[in-house]
Amino acid sequence: MTPTRKPVTLHRLRAMHGDGEKISMLTCYDATFARVLDDAGVDCLLVGDSLGMVLQGHTSTVPVTLEEMAYHVRCVARGNRTACVIGDLPFGSYQSSIAQAIDSASALMQAGAHMVKLEGGGWTAPVVRALVERGIPVCAHLGLTPQSVHALGGWRVQGREESGAATLMAHAKELADAGATMLVLELVTSAVGTEVTKAIGIPTIGIGAGPDCSGQVLVLHDALGMAERPARFVRNFMAEGGGITEAARRYVAAVKDGSFPETGTHTY
């Protein structure tokens, strides 16, 4: 139990980044798991639109609605005490206009999120800037962006080619300059993860992006060994025995001490 832990605020996240302390993040979708993960010391609870796949049985995140996201954010917020809660803006909730993005982000913040996350680069920089100017912290997301999986041609590693890596780097800098608080890097080569992390002044949170990111995130169900066909970057933290709280604590410890992800085993 960590009942005396101070709230993981934006100020605390910046301090951790400045001190070189790795940031631990797991997805979370309900009040019970929020309490368990918070007690285990997880820094950030990501209410991800991945719930469309792990909870609803869809083959992608695209069908998830804003109303469903707000519902799960409310559930997580009720169970959480100290972790930073991040809510995903789902597909179709921010692409039409900046006004739509503000309305959608406001709905998640009112539901209890401390920050919202959106996917993509280039066109998203003005959206990020508009949200930040209105007091809404933003976590950006580059690399494999699940909402665009059809446009990307499937679940493929990003940044292998020089042109793709250069575009990703340019987008990362634009998003940081626009005021993004953090940047998730998903399914990119370790080399790209390292270079982006060095180049921008905000924390990078990797998921299949190598060990040099400022922190790591996994889908909770994957970290608990529930994936039918786990991706290469996944480690089963239940494999050593014990309960869910012990597994979450092992995850936090492995992220903090740098033993996860392991180069060659969980990287590209």
Side-chain angles (χ1 to χ4, degrees), residues 200-264:
I200 62 177
I202 61 174
T204 57
I205 308 298
I207 176 167
D212 294 330
C213 293
S214 313
Q216 299 293 327
V217 62
L218 283 178
V219 170
L220 175 62
H221 294 61
D222 292 347
L224 297 181
M226 299 173 68
E228 185 177 0
R229 292 184 295 275
R232 177 174 174 173
F233 57 75
V234 170
R235 173 177 157 187
N236 177 5
F237 286 88
M238 285 288 287
E240 297 174 45
I244 291 171
T245 301
E246 288 80 2
R249 286 176 178 156
R250 281 195 289 268
Y251 171 76
V252 172
V255 170
K256 298 287 185 182
D257 67 21
S259 60
F260 175 78
E262 184 178 349
T263 299

Side-chain angles (χ1 to χ4, degrees), residues 35-129:
R35 176 183 55 79
V36 169
L37 299 182
D38 183 40
D39 286 347
V42 178
D43 297 313
C44 299
L45 306 180
L46 172 61
V47 188
D49 57 4
S50 50
L51 66 87
M53 301 173 74
V54 298
L55 298 188
Q56 298 176 339
H58 295 299
T59 57
S60 76
T61 64
V62 172
V64 178
T65 67
L66 180 63
E67 291 74 19
E68 291 167 340
M69 288 304 308
Y71 168 81
H72 286 279
V73 168
R74 283 193 294 271
C75 292
V76 170
R78 291 188 192 113
N80 177 58
R81 288 189 290 269
T82 63
C84 177
V85 176
I86 304 169
D88 259 347
L89 287 170
F91 181 78
S93 70
Y94 59 98
Q95 285 90 345
S96 294
S97 66
I98 287 178
Q100 183 202 31
I102 293 169
D103 288 344
S104 299
S106 297
L108 296 189
M109 296 294 285
Q110 289 174 331
H114 303 126
M115 189 186 310
V116 300
K117 183 170 77 64
L118 53 75
E119 297 182 5
W123 67 272
T124 58
V127 177
V128 171
R129 183 173 291 106

Side-chain angles (χ1 to χ4, degrees), residues 132-214:
V132 172
E133 287 174 348
R134 288 160 176 81
I136 301 173
V138 178
C139 176
H141 185 155
L142 293 175
L144 190 285
T145 47
Q147 293 175 13
S148 304
V149 65
H150 300 302
L152 294 172
W155 308 91
R156 311 170 81 173
V157 177
Q158 306 296 301
R160 288 193 187 277
E161 298 179 357
E162 186 175 345
S163 59
T167 298
L168 197 150
M169 176 68 78
H171 287 168
K173 291 179 178 178
E174 289 172 356
L175 290 164
D177 290 344
T181 296
M182 293 194 296
L183 173 65
V184 169
L185 291 172
E186 180 169 359
L187 208 63
V188 302
T189 65
S190 292
V192 169
T194 299
E195 291 306 311
V196 171
T197 300
K198 289 179 178 178
I200 62 177
I202 61 174
T204 57
I205 308 298
I207 176 167
D212 294 330
C213 293
S214 313

